[in-house]
Amino acid sequence: DAGVIQSPRHEVTEMGQEVTLRCKPISGHNSLFWYRQTMMRGLELLIYFNNNVPIDDSGMPEDRFSAKMPNASFSTLKIQPSEPRDSAVYFCASSFKQPGAVRDGYTFGSGTRLTVV
Amino acid sequence: AQKITQTQPGMFVQEKEAVTLDCTYDTSDPSYGLFWYKQPSSGEMIFLIYQGSYDQQNATEGRYSLNFQKARKSANLVISASQLGDSAMYFCAFWFSGGYNKLIFGAGTRLAVHP
């Protein structure tokens, strides 16, 4: 298995532009998570999905952020319009939602480093 | 509210020695799990070890072991025989059964291994 695949690896954009981050979870995993990592705030959970359904988006910072999971193999995180304070590393992670499987850990993608100038 | 705390922003250890990274948590949920992840300078998150709240024995994975003290709500990571490649950020993370499978992370501890 290729693991969790995120694209792009790096994104530099101008303030006000729309940014779309993409994630392909591990095949068979039914939970997907979007995290944001910054020096100041550490790793923050933005939103997570179970079986493609958003369960909790309370971590999404503002209405400028939106996430979708149209099918089990694809998710997007969109920022529109982007601002310099959105600069961070965005991680996608996936897992099984089964009590026994959770001890295998949550598999993270390599992250997308977003810079908004 | 569920909370996880790592009180050591930075630690250093001499190569080949053991080091303990602290992690405490707070929950009233009886079913939960603790994870440790390693994040090297390259940025990826690497799963190291897991301890479930009902596990009778402390978890071990190679040079990694977890000192799980349930009554004290602590789950410290012990790295034995430190190697230079162990230099990285280490995150303790917490899952609880009432949380729909979400993982909550501590602030992390930066470990430096000196030759």
Side-chain angles (χ1 to χ4, degrees):
Chain A
D1 199 322
V4 176
I5 300 172
Q6 290 187 247
S7 64
R9 289 295 305 274
H10 302 275
E11 177 80 31
V12 180
T13 190
E14 291 185 347
M15 182 174 62
Q17 296 297 306
E18 177 180 296
V19 176
T20 299
L21 312 182
R22 297 173 176 80
C23 176
K24 176 178 168 55
I26 288 176
S27 177
H29 280 187
N30 55 4
S31 293
L32 184 139
F33 309 83
W34 282 100
Y35 285 87
R36 178 173 69 175
Q37 185 178 31
T38 60
M39 289 292 293
M40 292 298 295
R41 301 174 70 90
L43 274 157
E44 303 173 276
L45 177 62
L46 299 178
I47 185 172
Y48 62 101
F49 297 83
N50 279 338
N51 295 321
N52 313 338
V53 176
I55 301 299
D56 184 353
D57 64 355
S58 60
M60 298 284 261
E62 300 171 33
D63 290 345
R64 298 184 296 105
F65 286 69
S66 63
K68 294 182 180 179
M69 192 165 186
N71 57 62
S73 59
F74 184 66
S75 177
T76 59
L77 178 68
K78 184 177 293 186
I79 308 172
Q80 166 64 21
S82 58
E83 296 183 3
R85 59 190 168 130
D86 301 332
S87 297
V89 179
Y90 291 81
F91 285 102
C92 175
S94 70
S95 76
F96 288 110
K97 188 182 180 299
Q98 298 290 342
V102 76
R103 64 178 57 246
D104 294 331
Y106 295 57
T107 305
F108 281 75
S110 299
T112 294
R113 182 173 296 277
L114 174 65
T115 303
V116 184
V117 299
Chain B
Q2 324 294 334
K3 186 178 178 182
I4 190 158
T5 304
Q6 294 180 257
T7 58
Q8 307 155 313
M11 291 279 287
F12 71 88
V13 64
Q14 291 294 124
E15 195 178 8
K16 300 180 184 177
E17 292 185 352
V19 62
T20 298
L21 306 183
D22 295 342
C23 174
T24 59
Y25 58 93
D26 188 16
T27 182
S28 56
D29 200 306
S31 181
Y32 55 88
L34 283 304
F35 297 79
W36 278 91
Y37 281 83
K38 173 184 178 181
Q39 187 178 40
S41 57
S42 53
E44 70 267 34
M45 295 289 287
I46 302 168
F47 166 66
L48 296 177
I49 196 167
Y50 171 81
Q51 179 83 45
S53 60
Y54 293 120
D55 291 346
Q56 295 297 310
Q57 295 186 335
N58 287 346
T60 61
E61 292 285 350
R63 293 186 300 110
Y64 304 109
S65 61
L66 219 153
N67 183 4
F68 183 48
Q69 299 186 44
K70 194 170 182 178
R72 299 179 66 178
K73 295 186 176 178
S74 72
N76 300 337
L77 176 71
V78 180
I79 306 175
S80 63
S82 298
Q83 302 172 356
L84 296 179
D86 294 334
S87 295
M89 279 289 287
Y90 289 81
F91 292 96
C92 182
F94 169 73
W95 160 91
F96 58 102
S97 63
Y100 290 100
N101 221 34
K102 67 180 179 182
L103 204 56
I104 302 170
F105 281 84
T109 296
R110 182 170 297 281
L111 176 67
V113 180
H114 295 172

